Amino acid sequence: QVQLVESGGGLVQAGESLTLSCAASGSIFAIDAMAWYRQAPGKQRELVARVTSGGTTYYVDSVKGRFTISRVSAKNSVYLQMNSLKPEDTAVYYCNAELRTVPTLRDIHWGQGTQVTVSS
């Protein structure tokens, strides 16, 4: 069984910073990519940032230049450094992992979500 546990959410003012952390545990053969999604009230869940095992990153346009995703493979962990936060960044942030518990089977796993609230 695989678990993703997130931490680091909270309430901040506009312009401040937060760092989200996510650690995967359990019977993991390999992690191919990790990502952060977010879902604001009344909106669809959107991909915020993603990093592959090879280090390739992706960011949604609205966070480019402000957010940085990083990964520590040895710890099966991913981080999201969020700077210059805006009220529109307010959402529940979810950690996501594309991983294999056996060499030939890839699956998607989600964390429970962590609330980020940015006040103006």
Side-chain angles (χ1 to χ4, degrees):
Q1 187 175 357
V2 175
Q3 279 192 317
L4 271 62
V5 178
E6 301 132 333
S7 61
L11 171 62
V12 297
Q13 292 189 333
E16 294 184 341
S17 299
L18 274 177
T19 300
L20 304 182
S21 302
C22 172
S25 63
S27 179
I28 298 171
F29 174 78
I31 299 179
D32 297 319
M34 299 188 80
W36 289 96
Y37 286 73
R38 67 185 178 188
Q39 187 166 21
K43 294 188 176 181
Q44 289 189 330
R45 189 173 297 190
E46 69 168 349
L47 174 61
V48 177
R50 180 177 180 266
V51 59
T52 69
S53 58
T56 300
T57 57
Y58 162 86
Y59 297 93
V60 68
D61 285 346
S62 59
V63 308
K64 285 180 180 177
R66 300 188 298 120
F67 290 12
T68 302
I69 190 170
S70 60
R71 178 177 166 183
V72 178
S73 298
K75 295 184 177 180
N76 288 337
S77 296
V78 66
Y79 307 91
L80 187 67
Q81 174 67 42
M82 304 185 292
N83 298 328
S84 302
L85 282 161
K86 303 176 180 180
E88 50 264 43
D89 294 318
T90 296
V92 177
Y93 284 70
Y94 296 91
C95 178
N96 166 287
E98 302 164 38
L99 59 85
R100 287 171 281 153
T101 55
V102 295
T104 56
L105 181 62
R106 179 182 291 181
D107 201 359
I108 305 295
H109 294 263
W110 293 90
Q112 79 284 357
T114 185
Q115 177 71 46
V116 172
T117 303
V118 185
S119 64
S120 57

